[in-house]
Amino acid sequence: MGQKVHPLGFRVGITQPHLSQWYASKRYYSQYVLEDNFIRTILLKKYKRANFSKIHISRKTDDHFEIVIHAQNLGILIGTKSEKSEKSEKSEKSEKFKLFQKQIKEFIFHYRQSEWNSKLRVVLHIFRCKTSASSIADFIVEHLERRVPYKVVFNLLKKHLQRQERQERQEHFDSALGIGMKIQISGRLNGAEIARQASIREGRLPLQTLQAHIDYHFQQAYTMYGILGVKVWVLKNVTTKTYKI
Protein backbone atom coordinates (compact mmCIF):
# COMPACT_ATOMS: atom_id res chain seq x y z
CA MET A 1 0.00 0.00 0.00
CA GLY A 2 1.13 3.55 -0.67
CA GLN A 3 2.40 5.50 2.33
CA LYS A 4 1.12 9.08 2.31
CA VAL A 5 3.04 11.93 3.94
CA HIS A 6 1.57 15.37 4.69
CA PRO A 7 3.05 17.73 2.04
CA LEU A 8 3.55 20.62 4.51
CA GLY A 9 4.92 18.64 7.47
CA PHE A 10 7.30 16.89 5.07
CA ARG A 11 8.85 20.26 4.11
CA VAL A 12 9.08 22.02 7.49
CA GLY A 13 12.49 23.65 7.68
CA ILE A 14 13.00 23.44 3.91
CA THR A 15 10.27 25.42 2.15
CA GLN A 16 7.74 25.64 5.01
CA PRO A 17 8.31 27.56 8.27
CA HIS A 18 6.70 26.56 11.56
CA LEU A 19 3.28 28.20 12.07
CA SER A 20 4.03 28.55 15.79
CA GLN A 21 7.41 29.81 16.97
CA TRP A 22 8.23 29.89 20.69
CA TYR A 23 10.10 28.02 23.40
CA ALA A 24 8.36 26.54 26.47
CA SER A 25 9.23 24.24 29.34
CA LYS A 26 7.32 21.00 29.94
CA ARG A 27 5.02 22.85 32.32
CA TYR A 28 3.73 25.30 29.67
CA TYR A 29 4.24 23.41 26.39
CA SER A 30 0.79 21.78 26.13
CA GLN A 31 -0.86 25.01 27.32
CA TYR A 32 0.77 27.03 24.51
CA VAL A 33 -0.10 24.43 21.84
CA LEU A 34 -3.79 24.37 22.87
CA GLU A 35 -3.91 28.18 23.12
CA ASP A 36 -2.48 28.60 19.60
CA ASN A 37 -4.98 26.06 18.27
CA PHE A 38 -7.84 27.91 20.01
CA ILE A 39 -6.81 31.28 18.49
CA ARG A 40 -6.65 29.83 14.97
CA THR A 41 -9.93 27.90 15.34
CA ILE A 42 -11.95 30.85 16.66
CA LEU A 43 -10.55 33.27 14.02
CA LEU A 44 -11.44 30.81 11.23
CA LYS A 45 -14.92 30.40 12.73
CA LYS A 46 -15.72 34.08 13.45
CA TYR A 47 -14.18 35.53 10.27
CA LYS A 48 -14.79 32.70 7.82
CA ARG A 49 -15.41 35.03 4.87
CA ALA A 50 -11.94 36.55 5.20
CA ASN A 51 -10.47 33.42 3.49
CA PHE A 52 -7.46 32.93 5.76
CA SER A 53 -4.39 31.38 4.16
CA LYS A 54 -2.01 31.17 7.13
CA ILE A 55 -1.89 32.38 10.73
CA HIS A 56 1.62 32.56 12.21
CA ILE A 57 1.92 32.89 16.00
CA SER A 58 5.14 33.65 17.85
CA ARG A 59 5.76 34.48 21.51
CA LYS A 60 8.57 36.22 23.37
CA THR A 61 6.97 35.73 26.80
CA ASP A 62 3.69 34.34 28.11
CA ASP A 63 2.00 37.76 27.67
CA HIS A 64 3.63 38.85 24.40
CA PHE A 65 2.08 37.59 21.14
CA GLU A 66 3.09 38.38 17.60
CA ILE A 67 0.44 37.24 15.13
CA VAL A 68 0.91 37.42 11.35
CA ILE A 69 -2.29 36.86 9.35
CA HIS A 70 -2.39 36.15 5.61
CA ALA A 71 -5.94 36.54 4.26
CA GLN A 72 -7.57 37.25 0.92
CA ASN A 73 -10.47 39.53 2.00
CA LEU A 74 -8.93 42.11 4.32
CA GLY A 75 -12.15 44.14 4.28
CA ILE A 76 -13.78 41.58 6.59
CA LEU A 77 -11.03 42.12 9.20
CA ILE A 78 -10.11 45.81 9.01
CA GLY A 79 -12.82 47.37 6.84
CA THR A 80 -13.07 48.43 3.19
CA LYS A 81 -12.04 51.59 1.39
CA SER A 82 -14.47 54.50 1.40
CA GLU A 83 -14.82 57.59 -0.78
CA LYS A 84 -13.67 59.91 2.02
CA SER A 85 -10.37 61.74 2.26
CA GLU A 86 -7.13 59.84 2.81
CA LYS A 87 -6.73 61.06 6.42
CA SER A 88 -10.21 59.92 7.49
CA GLU A 89 -9.69 56.66 5.55
CA LYS A 90 -6.45 55.96 7.45
CA SER A 91 -8.04 56.83 10.81
CA GLU A 92 -10.99 54.53 10.07
CA LYS A 93 -8.63 51.70 9.16
CA SER A 94 -6.55 52.23 12.29
CA GLU A 95 -9.71 52.20 14.44
CA LYS A 96 -10.94 48.96 12.86
CA PHE A 97 -7.45 47.50 13.16
CA LYS A 98 -7.42 48.33 16.90
CA LEU A 99 -10.89 46.82 17.32
CA PHE A 100 -9.74 43.60 15.66
CA GLN A 101 -6.61 43.58 17.85
CA LYS A 102 -8.80 44.06 20.95
CA GLN A 103 -11.06 41.21 19.81
CA ILE A 104 -8.06 38.84 19.69
CA LYS A 105 -7.10 39.90 23.24
CA GLU A 106 -10.65 39.10 24.39
CA PHE A 107 -10.39 35.64 22.80
CA ILE A 108 -7.15 34.99 24.73
CA PHE A 109 -8.63 36.16 28.05
CA HIS A 110 -11.75 34.06 27.40
CA TYR A 111 -9.59 30.96 26.82
CA ARG A 112 -7.46 31.63 29.90
CA GLN A 113 -10.61 32.39 31.94
CA SER A 114 -8.95 35.45 33.42
CA GLU A 115 -9.87 39.12 33.77
CA TRP A 116 -8.66 41.90 31.48
CA ASN A 117 -4.93 42.44 31.97
CA SER A 118 -3.05 45.44 30.57
CA LYS A 119 0.21 43.42 30.57
CA LEU A 120 -0.97 41.31 27.62
CA ARG A 121 0.48 42.64 24.37
CA VAL A 122 -0.60 41.50 20.91
CA VAL A 123 1.46 42.72 17.94
CA LEU A 124 -0.64 42.16 14.82
CA HIS A 125 0.44 42.11 11.15
CA ILE A 126 -2.13 41.56 8.38
CA PHE A 127 -1.22 40.91 4.75
CA ARG A 128 -3.33 40.33 1.67
CA CYS A 129 -2.35 37.04 0.04
CA LYS A 130 -2.87 35.93 -3.52
CA THR A 131 -4.94 32.87 -4.47
CA SER A 132 -3.93 29.94 -2.23
CA ALA A 133 -4.89 26.30 -1.75
CA SER A 134 -7.22 27.26 1.13
CA SER A 135 -9.13 29.84 -0.97
CA ILE A 136 -9.52 27.28 -3.80
CA ALA A 137 -10.84 24.70 -1.32
CA ASP A 138 -13.27 27.28 0.12
CA PHE A 139 -14.61 28.00 -3.37
CA ILE A 140 -15.15 24.28 -4.09
CA VAL A 141 -16.77 23.53 -0.71
CA GLU A 142 -19.12 26.52 -1.00
CA HIS A 143 -20.47 25.24 -4.35
CA LEU A 144 -20.61 21.56 -3.33
CA GLU A 145 -22.70 22.46 -0.27
CA ARG A 146 -25.13 24.23 -2.62
CA ARG A 147 -25.51 20.88 -4.46
CA VAL A 148 -23.72 22.01 -7.62
CA PRO A 149 -22.43 18.93 -9.57
CA TYR A 150 -18.69 18.46 -9.09
CA LYS A 151 -17.95 18.64 -12.86
CA VAL A 152 -19.69 22.01 -13.03
CA VAL A 153 -17.68 23.11 -9.97
CA PHE A 154 -14.43 22.25 -11.79
CA ASN A 155 -15.50 24.40 -14.79
CA LEU A 156 -16.55 27.29 -12.53
CA LEU A 157 -13.23 27.05 -10.69
CA LYS A 158 -11.24 27.36 -13.91
CA LYS A 159 -13.13 30.54 -14.84
CA HIS A 160 -12.75 31.89 -11.29
CA LEU A 161 -8.97 31.31 -11.31
CA GLN A 162 -8.62 32.96 -14.71
CA ARG A 163 -10.39 36.08 -13.35
CA GLN A 164 -8.18 36.03 -10.24
CA GLU A 165 -5.07 35.69 -12.40
CA ARG A 166 -5.99 38.73 -14.50
CA GLN A 167 -6.73 40.75 -11.36
CA GLU A 168 -3.49 39.76 -9.62
CA ARG A 169 -1.43 40.57 -12.71
CA GLN A 170 -2.89 44.08 -12.66
CA GLU A 171 -1.87 44.36 -8.98
CA HIS A 172 1.64 43.01 -9.81
CA PHE A 173 1.18 39.62 -8.13
CA ASP A 174 2.54 36.34 -9.52
CA SER A 175 0.30 33.88 -11.34
CA ALA A 176 -2.65 32.65 -9.25
CA LEU A 177 -2.30 29.13 -10.61
CA GLY A 178 1.41 28.75 -9.85
CA ILE A 179 3.34 26.14 -11.86
CA GLY A 180 0.97 23.22 -11.26
CA MET A 181 -2.16 22.24 -9.38
CA LYS A 182 -4.12 19.15 -8.37
CA ILE A 183 -7.63 18.94 -6.87
CA GLN A 184 -9.23 15.77 -5.52
CA ILE A 185 -12.81 15.32 -4.29
CA SER A 186 -13.78 12.10 -2.49
CA GLY A 187 -17.12 10.75 -1.26
CA ARG A 188 -20.64 10.26 -2.59
CA LEU A 189 -20.24 12.52 -5.59
CA ASN A 190 -23.57 13.92 -6.87
CA GLY A 191 -25.35 11.70 -4.31
CA ALA A 192 -24.24 8.38 -5.86
CA GLU A 193 -24.70 5.23 -3.74
CA ILE A 194 -21.06 4.19 -4.06
CA ALA A 195 -18.34 6.63 -2.94
CA ARG A 196 -15.56 7.40 -5.39
CA GLN A 197 -12.84 9.93 -6.19
CA ALA A 198 -12.65 12.58 -8.88
CA SER A 199 -9.60 14.72 -9.57
CA ILE A 200 -8.18 17.23 -12.03
CA ARG A 201 -4.55 18.09 -12.57
CA GLU A 202 -2.77 20.84 -14.49
CA GLY A 203 0.96 21.41 -14.86
CA ARG A 204 3.52 19.52 -12.81
CA LEU A 205 3.38 18.59 -9.13
CA PRO A 206 6.60 16.94 -7.81
CA LEU A 207 5.42 15.79 -4.36
CA GLN A 208 8.70 13.96 -3.65
CA THR A 209 10.90 17.01 -4.37
CA LEU A 210 11.64 18.65 -1.01
CA GLN A 211 12.63 21.96 -2.59
CA ALA A 212 9.25 22.24 -4.32
CA HIS A 213 7.20 24.92 -2.53
CA ILE A 214 3.80 23.21 -2.38
CA ASP A 215 0.72 24.78 -0.80
CA TYR A 216 -1.73 22.14 0.49
CA HIS A 217 -5.17 22.33 2.08
CA PHE A 218 -7.81 19.79 3.13
CA GLN A 219 -11.43 20.69 3.84
CA GLN A 220 -14.74 18.90 4.24
CA ALA A 221 -18.02 19.76 2.50
CA TYR A 222 -21.13 18.85 4.50
CA THR A 223 -23.84 17.95 1.98
CA MET A 224 -27.30 16.35 2.24
CA TYR A 225 -25.94 13.00 1.05
CA GLY A 226 -22.82 12.89 3.24
CA ILE A 227 -19.42 14.43 3.80
CA LEU A 228 -17.15 15.10 0.83
CA GLY A 229 -13.40 15.49 1.30
CA VAL A 230 -11.64 18.17 -0.77
CA LYS A 231 -7.84 18.18 -1.15
CA VAL A 232 -5.93 20.90 -3.02
CA TRP A 233 -2.23 20.94 -3.95
CA VAL A 234 -0.68 24.03 -5.59
CA LEU A 235 2.97 24.16 -6.70
CA LYS A 236 4.19 27.75 -6.23
CA ASN A 237 7.82 27.36 -7.30
CA VAL A 238 10.98 25.32 -6.78
CA THR A 239 13.38 27.12 -4.45
CA THR A 240 16.72 26.68 -2.73
CA LYS A 241 15.72 28.87 0.25
CA THR A 242 15.54 27.00 3.55
CA TYR A 243 14.04 27.91 6.94
CA LYS A 244 15.75 27.33 10.26
CA ILE A 245 13.93 24.82 12.49
Side-chain angles (χ1 to χ4, degrees), residues 41 43 50 87 100 116 121 127 132 134 149 156 169-170 178 185 187 190:
T41 304
L43 285 175
K87 288 184 180 179
F100 182 58
W116 187 269
R121 190 182 175 196
F127 300 100
S132 60
S134 60
L156 290 173
R169 277 178 180 172
Q170 289 174 0
I185 305 175
N190 297 341

Side-chain angles (χ1 to χ4, degrees), residues 76-92:
I76 306 296
L77 304 177
I78 56 174
T80 55
K81 291 182 179 179
S82 60
E83 295 180 357
K84 298 179 182 178
S85 63
E86 289 184 8
K87 288 184 180 179
S88 61
E89 203 173 289
K90 286 180 182 177
S91 63
E92 272 188 14

Side-chain angles (χ1 to χ4, degrees), residues 45-99:
K45 185 179 178 181
K46 294 278 186 182
Y47 302 97
K48 188 177 180 181
R49 291 174 56 208
N51 289 339
F52 290 100
S53 176
K54 289 179 183 177
I55 301 173
H56 295 267
I57 300 173
S58 59
R59 304 166 189 251
K60 292 184 178 178
T61 62
D62 186 44
D63 290 329
H64 188 286
F65 288 80
E66 188 169 341
I67 301 174
V68 181
I69 294 174
H70 297 267
Q72 203 166 5
N73 298 329
L74 298 187
I76 306 296
L77 304 177
I78 56 174
T80 55
K81 291 182 179 179
S82 60
E83 295 180 357
K84 298 179 182 178
S85 63
E86 289 184 8
K87 288 184 180 179
S88 61
E89 203 173 289
K90 286 180 182 177
S91 63
E92 272 188 14
K93 279 192 174 182
S94 62
E95 284 177 11
K96 289 176 181 177
F97 184 87
K98 287 176 182 176
L99 283 172

Side-chain angles (χ1 to χ4, degrees), residues 200-235:
I200 56 169
R201 183 168 178 162
E202 288 190 12
R204 64 193 187 97
L205 195 73
L207 292 177
Q208 295 181 351
T209 304
L210 287 173
Q211 290 180 334
H213 185 189
I214 291 176
D215 190 15
Y216 170 79
H217 190 76
F218 169 75
Q219 200 166 332
Q220 291 179 328
Y222 296 89
T223 64
M224 288 180 63
Y225 36 82
I227 299 173
L228 303 179
V230 178
K231 293 181 180 180
V232 181
W233 296 262
V234 177
L235 174 62

Side-chain angles (χ1 to χ4, degrees), residues 158-218:
K158 286 180 181 178
K159 293 176 182 177
H160 172 71
L161 288 175
Q162 286 169 0
R163 284 196 301 270
Q164 288 287 328
E165 191 173 17
R166 285 195 296 269
Q167 183 181 347
E168 288 173 358
R169 277 178 180 172
Q170 289 174 0
E171 296 177 7
H172 306 290
F173 277 107
D174 295 332
S175 173
L177 297 172
I179 301 172
M181 179 179 64
K182 179 184 175 183
I183 299 167
Q184 179 179 297
I185 305 175
S186 307
R188 293 183 58 190
L189 302 178
N190 297 341
E193 290 294 323
I194 299 174
R196 64 185 192 277
Q197 290 182 352
S199 62
I200 56 169
R201 183 168 178 162
E202 288 190 12
R204 64 193 187 97
L205 195 73
L207 292 177
Q208 295 181 351
T209 304
L210 287 173
Q211 290 180 334
H213 185 189
I214 291 176
D215 190 15
Y216 170 79
H217 190 76
F218 169 75

Side-chain angles (χ1 to χ4, degrees), residues 93-123:
K93 279 192 174 182
S94 62
E95 284 177 11
K96 289 176 181 177
F97 184 87
K98 287 176 182 176
L99 283 172
F100 182 58
Q101 202 170 20
K102 186 179 178 182
Q103 184 73 53
I104 293 174
K105 285 185 179 181
E106 288 175 0
F107 292 151
I108 295 168
F109 287 128
H110 174 72
Y111 177 79
R112 293 182 177 180
Q113 296 181 350
S114 60
E115 295 180 358
W116 187 269
N117 183 3
S118 58
K119 291 182 180 179
L120 180 68
R121 190 182 175 196
V122 176
V123 179

